[in-house]
Every structure is written in C-alpha cells, then in structure tokens.
Amino acid sequence: MYKKYIFHLFFLSIAVSQSLPELTPSQIKKLKDRGISLDQINLLSNQGVGSALEGLVRENDLEINNLENGDLFNEDKMMRDDINNTLGLDKTNPNFNVFNVMQNPDSISKDLSLNDSLYTDETNQKLRKIRSEIIDEKIRLMNSKKPYFGYDIFQGDPEVFQSSVLESIDPDYLIGPGDEIIIMIWGDTEINKKYTVSRDGYLFIQNVGQVFVNSLTLSKLETKLFRLLKKVYSSLEMKGGQATTFLDVSLGALTYRPHRVFVLGEVDQPGAYNVKPSTSLFSSLYYFNGPKISGSLRSVTLIRNKEQIADIDLYDYLLSGLKINDLRLQRNDIIFIPNRGKTVRVKGEINRTKYFELKPNETLRDLIKIAGGLKSTTYLKRAQIQRIIPYNELVDINVNRTIVDVKLIDVLNGNVKIDLYDGDEITFYAINDIKQNQVEIEGAVNRPGVYDISNDVLLLDLIQKADSLVDNAYLDRAEIIRSKRDGSKIQIDVNLGLVLENDLNNNIKLKTDDLIKIYSNDEMKFKTGVSITGHVLDDGPKEYFEGMNVYDLVFSGGGFENELHLSKTFLDRADLYRKDANNNVIQVVGFNLDSVLAGMGIYDVPINMGDEIRIYSKQEVLGDTKNEVEIIGHVKRPGIYSVGKDGRLKDLLFRAGGFEDAKHLKNTYLDRIDIVRTSYKKNIKNILSFNLRDIIAGDSGINPLLEADDLVRVYSMESFNTYKYVNISGVIKNSGQYELKNNMTLKDLIIEAGGLTDNVFRYRADIARINPQNDNEREFAEILTVSLNNDFNTYSSQETKSNIKLNPFDEVTIRPDPFFKKQIKVSILGYVYYPGDYVLLNPEEKVSDLLKRAGGMRPEAFPFGSEFIRDGKKINISFDKIVRSPRSTENISLIAKDSIIIHGKPNIVEVSGQVNNPGLYQFKKGKSIDDYIEIAGGYAENANKKAYVIYANGQSKKNKMLFSPKVYDGSEIVVPEKSNPEEFNLTTFATNLTSIYADISQILLLASLVRSQ
C-alpha cells in the first residue's frame, strides 16, 4: 500500500523533463547513495526524464513542509501512519516521520532522542528500497506506453509546453471570484486601490457600491467601471474635447495564481490539479502524464459550466503540429478522457509499427497516412489483415478469427475502400532482394564494385567500365561466379590475357548477379611459388628463384644441421610433388633424403613453379617408440600403461586394479595369464603363458620383465564355459539372459526378471529344454508346457506346484491367456454432443454406431472434413456417406485405439505450389479452382497449369479444361511444378529405331522359316 503513496509523493515533488541535464560524477554518486541503481539512471536518461534526476540531487528535492501541511495529507491521515509503520518509525514522535527521513536520512539520529545508530542504517536501507521501487514503477509505466502511438509524449515537464509566464493577460480573459482588480485614477483626482472579486462575483467600490463583474472581460469591465465612476468623478467626462482625469483598470498579481481544474476518466491519477493561468487544454495533459493506454487520444473533452465546449483530437498535433480547438483553461474546468476507441496494430514494412486508435469512419488508407506512410521497400501487391470476427458477423461460434488479403496498390489509388475493425492486425510485407541487371567485379581493377549490364555487356566491356586492370594483375586466369536458377553456383574460369585480346571463348557475355574475381600476381604466388612441408623447422611457401634445385628447397626448410632434429628425421625417403597451374598433383617423385643432403642423387634436379617437397619424421613412418604395454581382459582398469626399463608383470597387474577384491578374484581364471610379444625383426608374435596364481602369490619367484608393445591378457571364468544361463522372453518386464543359480525354479526366474507386463488371470509358460546327451540330428529340444496363475504358481502340471526347476540353457517363453478380454477403447472428439473415450461392445461395432452413442453430430459439425485415425495414420473415409446411409461401405468396423475427430467448418481454402502468393484464403462458396489461383496471384513462371484440388476428406480431383471440380470448405488447391522434358537425342533415337528394325526382321525371318517347313 505504501508504494502508491510514495509514488504520489515522488511525482508531486519532481518535475519530469524531455531533455537530460548533464550530470556530474558527484551528482551520480548522490543518486546511487539514495538507492537508485546505475541501470535505472541510464534508463531514465534514455527515456528523457532528466529533470527527475536533477531534482533528486538538489539539496532540497522534496518540499517536505509544504507537502506535509498541504491538502494532500490532510485528506488521508492514514497514509502517513502507513508509511511510518512500513519503515518501523515512531508515529508519535513529530520529528521522526517519513518526510524528514526522505529529506535527510543521514541525519536521522541527530533529530531523535533515541540513541540507536543501527536503527538509522535500517531506515536508510528501507528508504533506498522505496526509492528504487518508485523508479522501477516509473520505468514500467513508460515501457507499457511505448507500443501505443502518442502516449509516451506526455512524460515531460509541463513547463516546457507552457506559454510565456511574462505574457500579458488575454483580453478575452473572463474575470471570476478571487481575481484582483486594480483601479487607478490620475489627473485632477488620484486613486490607486486594489479590490478582490467576491465569491458571488461582486466588487465593492467606495462611493459606487456593489458592482457585478463576474464573467466580464477586462475591456468590458473597464467600460462598465468608467460609466459608473464618471458619475462620481465628473472630471473623467470629456469637456471641451479634453478630459482632465484618467482611468486605468488592470488585473493584480492574485489573478496569476494557479487555476484548479479537474481531470476525470482514463488517467493514472484522476482528481484536482493546480495549473498555471496560461495552461491550455493540450498542455494540461503534461500535469497528469496524459491518458492511460486505455484512454483515448482522439477525443479529449473540455467541460465548462456543465457544457462541453471543446473536443480535441491529439493526433492532429502529433501528426501535423496543429493545435486545433486548443482553448485556455479556466478555474473549475473539467477535462474528461474517455475510453480508447477502435484500435489496430501495424507491423512490417511501414514507417511506424505501433498500435493506433482510429475514428469510426477511418479506413486502411487513412491508417497508412497516420502510420507515416509506406516504406520504399513495401510490397504493394499484398498486405494481410488478421481479424477477430465481430460477434454480430459470426457464422460459427467456434471460428472466431479470419484472414483478409488486401491489394495495397488499389487501396493507395483509392479504387478500394477497406474498413477496419477493432483488434485488426495489419502486416505489410517487404519486397524481395533480387537485383536485376547488375554484376560485381572485385580484385585487381582500378574501380571494383557493382555495375549495370542493362545492355548486353561482355567481360572486356566490364573491365573497361572499371577503369581497366591494375599493373600487377594476374593474366593467366580470372573467375566468374554465376548463380543458377535453383540457387546453386558455378565457377567459370577464363584466361584474362585472352579476354584482353577479345578472344570469343574467353570474353564471354555476362549475366545478372555474376561475380567477377580478378587476381593480382601477389595473390597468385601460392600457385606459382614452391613450398616444403613436414618434418622441417620452417615449413610453408618459399620464394621461387630461377635455377632453384631440390637441395636448395630442402635446405630452406631448415633443421638439418641440428643433430637432435636430424636423429628424428626419416632419411630413407622424401617426396617431390609436381603440380599444374590448378594446384593439382600430376607427378610424385620419391627420393633418398640422405643422398640429397650428401649432395648426391637428385639434389641438383631443377625445381619448377608450384613444386612441393614433403619430409617425414621417424615417428610418422615407424610409429610411436614409447615404452608402453597394454593389458586387456578381466581386469578393473584395462588400457595402455607406460613402463620403465625394469617394469614387471606383477606391478602392471597392481596398476590395472589388482586382485584384492574377493568378488573380482572369484570370477578370475587363475591358471593362466598370457603375454603376447612382438618380434619386429622377424615380424612375428609369440605367446608367453604363466600361472596367474603363482604371480599373485609371489612365492614361486615368477615375475617376468615387460618389454615395449607387450600385450597382457587376463581371463575370466566365463571364458571356460563355467557360466550357465537361461533365457526368458514374452510378456516379461525385463526379458533376456539370466545366470542359472542352484535349484532355481521358474517362479524364481520370473521374479528376477521383474514380473510380467500383462495383468491377466492366467498365463502359459513354454520351456524349451535341450538334452546334453542328445546325438539325434533330427531332434533339437523338448517343450515343457506349464500353466501359471497370476501369482506365478503352477496350477496344472505333472510336477509339484511351483517347483519347476530350470536346467542350463532353458528357453522360457511366457504367454498371456488368449481368452482373457480387456476392455477395448476407441475415442471420438470434436463436434459431437458427448465426446470422449468409449469401450467397444463387440467386434462388429461400426463408425455409425459410435456416432450414435456419442449423441450424434452437432449442427456446426463438418462431416466432409472429419478424420478417422488408425495406428497414427489418417484413413480416408467419407463421413458424409456414413451419415446419409449407415449401410455404406465407408462405414467400417472399429478396432482398439481407433480415433474419430469431427471437425467444424474451417472457412479456409489453402493454395499451395507454383503460385505467386501461396497461403490460406477465405472460403467463398461457388468459387472455382481458377478463381482461387487468381486470388493467390496467378500462376508462377514454372507452374504446370494442370492443378488439382485435395478435399478435406483426403480425396482429390484434377482441374480439367471443360470440367472444373467444385472447391469445398477446407480444400487445398495444389499447382505442381512444370517438369523439364528430356531433350531429343537423334543418335539415341536412330540407335533404338535400328534395334527395333533388327528385331522385327528376325521375327519375320523366323516366321518365314516356320511356314517353309
């Protein structure tokens, strides 16, 4: 509750300005000390409330005494107590209240008889929190008005928009109670007296009496007083053409006191406000921060003496700067802000994208003007209105929104008038970014950039337009990047030297959106230079010089004078790669690096431009030579381990997890451990076997030394067929393989596998069992069938109840009772009277039966577009035929999980495919396929005009020349893409024709032989 009081206090004491004063660092520090964060200071600065910040850092930013003694707090004494209680202040102490604390919180302990320094800190903290919340609330109000046009302009200081304070009183100013009248007479008689208009509108003037002056202008008052006073002071009357006494009537300083006006309606703080005498109806809005966003800007009413004397439209000022019907306020005037009228939203390619309030007669064309007009990038063939259908135009209560497409060019020309509704959202679209008749040239030309090719332009013409090539242009090659119709790009390489000679094969004609790249000689060094890579200290491109040989290039890589580097170099081979101008390898020459470094072999073979030499390291060729071994198998941490020169097997076993774990040791095969050792000289592998039990015990002294690349294998008991298992499948929660325990029964296995999935009364278990002694190839296994209750106990078996013991490798399959029938459910949703899930009564129940059980279709149902879903797929059936005749073949029987959805009328037709503006359009009865294609902008360039319609029930029909199928509600019209016909190949045609002729000749010859025989 205290927030609204402090909010009122804050905005009565601070003036809000449109411009931000320059704040010094010390002032910003004061603001932060008063609990206002730096983010709030910056945000208020951007919002233009500079005076608020300046007021906060002034020494006496709150006129505490005036506020405390004013009408604001006399009207509600509970406010002061509520704030004081919130801060924990003593409301019985007159010196200890919220206003003194907000004025100077740091001095609170000096003004109190209470000796409690901690109390001061706590109060200061609460005050900072209150100030921070006030600023946040102000920011929130500002941000809420931003999306609405015109509402945020009234956040400034009313002084900025006042008429000059020093201006003279308007001659039409109407005198009223409380005004001060100064009557001055000079000449033969001198009088200078001040009079105050009484509450009833009278002046009492000595020797004259009571004079009624209410509602007179200053000029009329002076005329009236002259007429009355000349009866008392005859020298005022002109005698002989000249007066000897003169009269002057003027208004005193009390007349300049603030007027009290009343603000009602849609404002944040309705009530009475004191405004300056020069305040007009427009500038008064700044005193109460203008209307709320629920208030109107198009009809601000001024009421005086119970009569409406002005109604201003603030849009006139906001859009043109004209103050139409803007009157000066008088005492006790009433300003009334009604509710906001018809409001629409504008989005997209238009100059102002906000919410706008419209008058009843304003159309889309008027809205475009109010919103600042269209941008140059606006697409004029289409705008779209998303509309909430007015209640009096609703056809279907479940279809509340619609879309209206508008051709903007007709609206702008005045050919079409589009009325707007409250809540409309208008979207203006942008034109595409496709550029026509232009190309771009970049690289080694004097003026790279974009050029026009509206006339036929060749590559040489473009180079000349670009002020020719630079001096070091690379002439062997240039590239043209060309876009294809499908959006992909191709590269065309040309010889730039031949282009300059106007060679027809290279000086090609340019097309729209071509990108021409001209290279310099410096850029092409990578194609004409040489390089060395691999195991050298300085790899990469090298400068080519005439007479360079293999030894020169190898030596440029560096490192071959370094013994450590040389010791790691593979000297038996290096490679020389010969390349063409396109950087493609055309030859690989292997050579002995040892020989080249010694000045032999191919050391003096010349190097060509583009050549590359590759040097290899020993590690690259021979592999890693680190002293590492690998351990695999039944250990806790298998992997690769580094070992020293004296590394032994027992140490490796310890690092791999050891065998202190009794459970792990139990499953370990202790009679054997193998070391697989590689002999690189002989290129063979040897297996060294040991007893793992002896190595672990350490009594035998066996602990072999490990060598690099040894592979150690540790085995588990399972490797020697000591593990026996059984399998279980069927309606089991965790089917799979399980270890066979001693005396394990069928019930034990079912429980260990998590129980059964199907909750039925009875089950059947099939146990496929093999005979270990069987040597009959025509007999695989015997089947033991057991009947089970749902507690997994047998109830019909030759063996004792629940005592079916399992054998190794038994395969158990659990099947549910086939005669147990669960309820089978189907669902029906949408426009029926009783939607929901239904249990099928019998296998013969059909769609019509379910519709009948659901109460039938509602009047707004749309059978033609309803759906039948089975196994997640839509089944095309005709609900129209089912409703008309339940005996129809469309009336199929239902099965479990079938779903029927009865839709309402969508009032929409979709046009897709190769049209200029595909999308959703309003259904209009009687319109044909061609009508909708025309609405969608007509056929696209690559359209196949054999369009077809897909109805809401899944059926489709083609559009024929003499017969156009009807378009029903919910249909989709598809315009396919034109297929590219295969080009006629005369060679292929001749070959096929020859083949056919040969086949026919053979048949005729064969027939002739048959007849002759």
Side-chain angles (χ1 to χ4, degrees), residues 192 293 562 613 637 643 701 1001:
N192 189 346
I293 57 175
N562 185 322
I613 288 180
R637 291 189 293 273
V643 295
S1001 299

Side-chain angles (χ1 to χ4, degrees), residues 762-775:
R762 293 179 299 274
Y763 306 89
R764 191 182 81 180
D766 292 337
I767 304 173
R769 180 166 293 172
I770 62 174
N771 180 5
Q773 308 299 325
N774 178 38
D775 57 2

Side-chain angles (χ1 to χ4, degrees), residues 113-308:
S113 57
L114 299 175
N115 186 13
D116 188 354
S117 61
L118 181 63
Y119 203 56
T120 301
D121 294 337
E122 183 181 352
T123 304
N124 283 333
Q125 188 175 3
K126 291 182 179 179
L127 283 171
R128 288 190 179 95
K129 182 179 179 183
I130 290 175
R131 277 193 171 132
S132 179
E133 290 174 348
I134 291 171
I135 298 296
D136 286 337
E137 178 67 14
K138 177 65 177 174
I139 292 170
R140 187 194 65 77
L141 287 174
M142 289 177 177
N143 289 334
S144 67
K145 291 184 177 183
K146 278 185 177 180
Y148 293 83
F149 176 69
Y151 286 88
D152 53 352
I153 193 176
F154 303 106
Q155 305 300 317
D157 185 352
E159 293 294 332
V160 177
F161 296 89
Q162 294 288 2
S163 299
S164 174
V165 178
L166 301 177
E167 69 179 354
S168 60
I169 292 294
D170 189 342
D172 295 328
Y173 176 78
L174 299 180
I175 296 170
D179 281 348
E180 185 178 52
I181 309 297
I182 300 175
I183 300 176
M184 186 169 64
I185 300 176
W186 74 94
D188 294 344
T189 305
E190 293 189 358
I191 298 175
N192 189 346
K193 287 189 177 182
K194 298 179 180 180
Y195 301 91
T196 303
V197 180
S198 68
R199 183 175 294 181
D200 297 329
Y202 287 91
L203 288 178
F204 182 78
I205 302 174
Q206 191 176 3
N207 297 328
V208 176
Q210 283 191 335
V211 180
F212 186 74
V213 299
N214 191 48
S215 296
L216 293 179
T217 64
L218 188 60
S219 59
K220 289 182 179 180
L221 173 63
E222 188 170 5
T223 301
K224 185 173 185 178
L225 290 178
F226 182 84
R227 189 174 64 251
L228 295 173
L229 288 172
K230 75 179 181 178
K231 295 178 182 178
V232 179
Y233 305 103
S234 60
S235 57
L236 287 171
E237 187 77 43
M238 294 182 64
K239 295 179 180 179
Q242 187 174 2
T244 59
T245 303
F246 303 95
L247 171 68
D248 180 74
V249 180
S250 60
L251 299 176
L254 290 179
T255 305
Y256 291 91
R257 71 188 187 282
H259 293 335
R260 185 181 180 90
V261 298
F262 297 90
V263 181
L264 301 174
E266 295 301 309
V267 293
D268 289 318
Q269 295 289 337
Y273 287 82
N274 288 329
V275 300
K276 290 194 174 184
S278 60
T279 302
S280 68
L281 175 56
F282 174 80
S283 59
S284 69
L285 300 176
Y286 290 86
Y287 282 89
F288 49 87
N289 293 332
K292 296 192 295 186
I293 57 175
S294 59
S296 174
L297 291 178
R298 308 301 303 272
S299 179
V300 178
T301 305
L302 176 62
I303 300 173
R304 182 177 294 165
N305 297 327
K306 299 182 181 180
E307 293 184 3
Q308 179 179 324

